[in-house]
Amino acid sequence: MEFDDMDDDAAGPSRVASPGQTIASYAAVLRGHGTYIDNDDVVASVTGLVDRVNKLITVKTLRSRYNPEVGDLVVGRISDVWNKRWRVELNARLDGILMLSSVNLPGGVQRRKLEADELQMRSFFEEGDLLVAEVQSLFADGAPSLHTRSLKFGKLRNGQLVSVSSTLIRRLKSHFFSMPCGVDVILGMNGYIWVSKHVQQNMQVGEEGFDAEGVYSNVNDPIDSATHTAIARVSALILSLARSSIPLTDTLLNDAYDWTVEQNVEVTQLLNEDVSEAMILALSSGAVRAM
């Protein structure tokens, strides 16, 4: 199967390559990890997902650990608090490090951190807390240094964590997006995905209703049953698509959600193998957009 004309936004089983499979002409692309050259063709050396950025083409193995890069948006879980820093589990070879100097204080205050701030570090993040952050640099051993200085980063509430292989997360213009069903999704490059209650426009960062003092709150907001169901449906969709090794994007998730609603598929049926196959067939044929 040839991949020369593949669409960067396409997602489906055709994106998976196996060892020895020709994926492009060497004259048209640059060879990346997971490939080799054979008779002027770029050939896959591992089983994985073909990823193309401009002319660079790589094959990412399906079960590899997350390899952090500067600028990546990640979702993680606090695993330890010590000496002016938090250790963050990221589904990577090494845990991430979030320094006290790399977080915002309550209210978005920007100032030098004092000894009093160090004494109340657990009032910001404590063991088990989930957060979204950005990789700002890498230490000498490859461990990522994180920051949450922007108010769009920080502690996560009102939702559910879904874990998939990091190879299924595509690099997008934005990894934050809202779905019409009233659910917000954060696609972490490390394979951790946060599905949560939608934040109203007037409550978002920079708006009049934004609660800057409550960014470190551990209390969830009230969530109605319809939103609970929507969160569960989106989470099940993500797991169903990931089980078929399909890269995840906002467009794909919206199309999959629309299909399940049109077909009156119950949330409890979404991980059924027959339902998954029917959904993937509809998505790959473009039947969803034609509805």
Side-chain angles (χ1 to χ4, degrees), residues 69-74 132-137 145-148 153:
E69 296 182 17
V70 174
D72 281 356
L73 181 114
V74 294
V132 56
E134 185 178 55
V135 178
Q136 67 174 354
S137 63
S145 173
L146 310 176
H147 83 88
T148 61
F153 302 142

Side-chain angles (χ1 to χ4, degrees), residues 4-180:
D4 291 340
D5 299 324
M6 65 186 181
D7 182 356
D8 284 347
D9 293 328
S14 62
R15 302 284 299 180
V16 179
S18 57
Q21 183 175 353
T22 299
I23 54 178
S25 169
Y26 184 52
V29 300
L30 298 175
R31 183 181 72 86
H33 294 295
T35 66
Y36 63 91
I37 304 300
D38 182 31
N39 294 329
D40 295 328
D41 289 327
V42 178
V43 180
S45 61
V46 296
T47 298
L49 295 171
V50 178
D51 186 38
R52 184 169 181 172
V53 180
N54 295 325
K55 288 191 173 184
L56 177 66
I57 193 166
T58 60
V59 178
K60 298 180 179 179
T61 55
L62 294 175
R63 295 188 178 276
S64 63
R65 300 279 279 181
Y66 167 61
N67 185 32
E69 296 182 17
V70 174
D72 281 356
L73 181 114
V74 294
V75 173
R77 187 189 301 273
I78 301 293
S79 60
D80 198 8
V81 184
W82 56 291
N83 192 25
K84 297 183 182 180
R85 68 196 68 191
W86 293 268
R87 189 184 298 276
V88 185
E89 191 276 310
L90 295 173
N91 189 34
R93 182 176 60 88
L94 297 171
D95 287 343
I97 300 297
L98 176 64
M99 303 296 296
L100 177 60
S101 59
S102 298
V103 305
N104 273 331
L105 295 173
V109 177
Q110 295 281 356
R111 61 166 171 78
R112 184 172 181 176
K113 307 304 187 292
L114 307 175
E115 184 177 351
D117 298 317
E118 183 178 356
L119 293 175
Q120 59 179 349
M121 283 178 61
R122 280 189 171 83
S123 68
F124 303 151
F125 298 109
E126 60 183 348
E127 292 88 347
D129 282 348
L130 293 165
L131 76 158
V132 56
E134 185 178 55
V135 178
Q136 67 174 354
S137 63
L138 299 175
F139 292 103
D141 62 356
S145 173
L146 310 176
H147 83 88
T148 61
R149 292 194 188 95
S150 170
L151 288 176
K152 68 180 180 179
F153 302 142
K155 186 175 292 188
L156 295 172
R157 301 183 299 139
N158 305 324
Q160 177 176 345
L161 180 69
V162 183
S163 178
V164 302
S165 171
S166 62
T167 59
L168 299 179
I169 307 300
R170 308 284 297 277
R171 293 189 181 278
L172 307 170
K173 291 182 179 179
S174 175
H175 285 251
F176 297 85
F177 62 91
S178 298
M179 298 180 65

